[in-house]
């Protein structure tokens, strides 16, 4: 009879152990697997956000370059001597400025209206207005070129601030 009890005990212990492993596996699947899916989803979401923000920064840099380029053409062209060219430059500048402002606004929205970016935007607005005063005045190049270069510098600084914020660049790359 004692042998029978030992084999019965062994069988019951084996069944219990198998059931516990099975239940542990099921519990682990439902607890661990959703968190793995969630972290994979979060990683994909973070990657998408990074791509969108880097595209916004790139668009801003392109638009700011186009805007300062058309402003250069306007400042450097005499409207009396080159009326047709000047009119084309005015049209191009109006379009470029619209695209530039749009990309600037997108940058501000995507970066939560960062106070440093907003301060830079105010400086840029003043520089843009100052620059318009020199449209069609190629003889005053030293004045308007200084403003244009400062405008380019401010735009680049906004881009650097944004790049730092998404950690695509750090201060080691920027001499600051």
């Amino acid at each position: 009879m004692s042998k029978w009890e030992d084999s019965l005990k062994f069988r019951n212990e084996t069944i219990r152990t198998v059931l516990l492993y099975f239940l542990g596996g099921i519990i682990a699947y439902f607890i661990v697997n959703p968190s793995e899916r969630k972290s994979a989803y979060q990683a994909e979401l973070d990657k998408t956000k990074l791509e969108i923000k880097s595209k916004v920064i790139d668009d801003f840099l392109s638009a700011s370059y186009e805007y300062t380029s058309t402003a250069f053409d306007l400042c450097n062209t005499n409207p009396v001597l080159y009326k047709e060219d000047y009119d084309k430059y005015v049209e191009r500048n109006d379009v470029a400025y619209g695209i530039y402002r749009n990309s600037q606004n997108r940058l501000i929205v995507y970066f939560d209206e960062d106070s440093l970016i907003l301060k830079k935007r105010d400086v840029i607005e003043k520089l843009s207005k100052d620059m318009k005063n020199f449209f069609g005045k190629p003889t005053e190049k030293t004045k308007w070129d200084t403003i244009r270069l400062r405008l380019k510098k401010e735009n680049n600084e906004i881009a650097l601030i944004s790049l730092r914020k998404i950690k695509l660049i750090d201060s080691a790359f920027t001499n600051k």
Side-chain angles (χ1 to χ4, degrees):
M1 191 80 170
S2 69
K3 282 187 175 185
W4 181 253
E5 288 177 12
D6 287 341
S7 90
L8 189 59
K9 276 185 188 178
F10 178 74
R11 189 183 67 146
N12 287 341
E13 286 293 319
T14 304
I15 290 172
R16 186 181 73 124
T17 304
V18 169
L19 283 174
L20 285 175
Y21 279 135
F22 181 72
L23 287 173
I26 289 174
I27 290 171
Y29 175 77
F30 285 112
I31 290 174
V32 173
N33 199 22
S35 66
E36 284 177 6
R37 280 184 275 166
K38 187 176 180 181
S39 61
Y41 170 77
Q42 190 62 42
E44 189 64 31
L45 184 62
D46 290 344
K47 180 182 170 191
T48 302
K49 286 178 183 178
L50 183 66
E51 288 171 353
I52 290 170
K53 286 184 174 185
S54 62
K55 174 86 171 101
V56 167
I57 295 168
D58 189 50
D59 289 349
F60 172 74
L61 282 170
S62 296
S64 70
Y65 174 79
E66 180 65 22
Y67 170 61
T68 56
S69 174
T70 59
F72 174 87
D73 292 339
L74 269 170
C75 290
N76 206 31
T77 303
N78 187 325
V80 177
L81 297 176
Y82 303 101
K83 176 80 172 124
E84 285 182 30
D85 288 342
Y86 186 80
D87 291 342
K88 286 179 194 173
Y89 293 150
V90 168
E91 247 179 73
R92 259 184 59 214
N93 185 263
D94 290 345
V95 170
Y97 185 72
I99 293 169
Y100 169 70
R101 282 304 306 246
N102 180 13
S103 66
Q104 187 184 74
N105 288 334
R106 285 179 52 216
L107 192 77
I108 290 167
V109 168
Y110 275 90
F111 290 93
D112 302 324
E113 297 185 359
D114 184 283
S115 62
L116 199 51
I117 292 174
L118 290 174
K119 286 178 188 173
K120 294 275 183 201
R121 184 187 64 182
D122 293 341
V123 170
I124 285 171
E125 284 301 309
K126 183 181 180 327
L127 290 171
S128 292
K129 286 178 183 172
D130 291 347
M131 186 114 171
K132 283 184 180 184
N133 293 331
F134 292 101
F135 285 180
K137 298 179 181 173
T139 56
E140 298 185 40
K141 184 173 181 168
T142 54
K143 292 178 185 174
W144 59 256
D145 203 36
T146 303
I147 295 170
R148 186 180 72 90
L149 292 174
R150 183 151 178 242
L151 181 62
K152 287 173 76 170
K153 180 181 179 253
E154 294 293 331
N155 287 328
N156 288 340
E157 285 180 10
I158 285 178
L160 284 172
I161 291 166
S162 304
L163 286 168
R164 276 190 213 108
K165 195 162 185 175
I166 60 174
K167 295 177 176 75
L168 277 181
I169 194 170
D170 65 23
S171 59
F173 291 111
T174 59
N175 298 333
K176 288 195 178 198

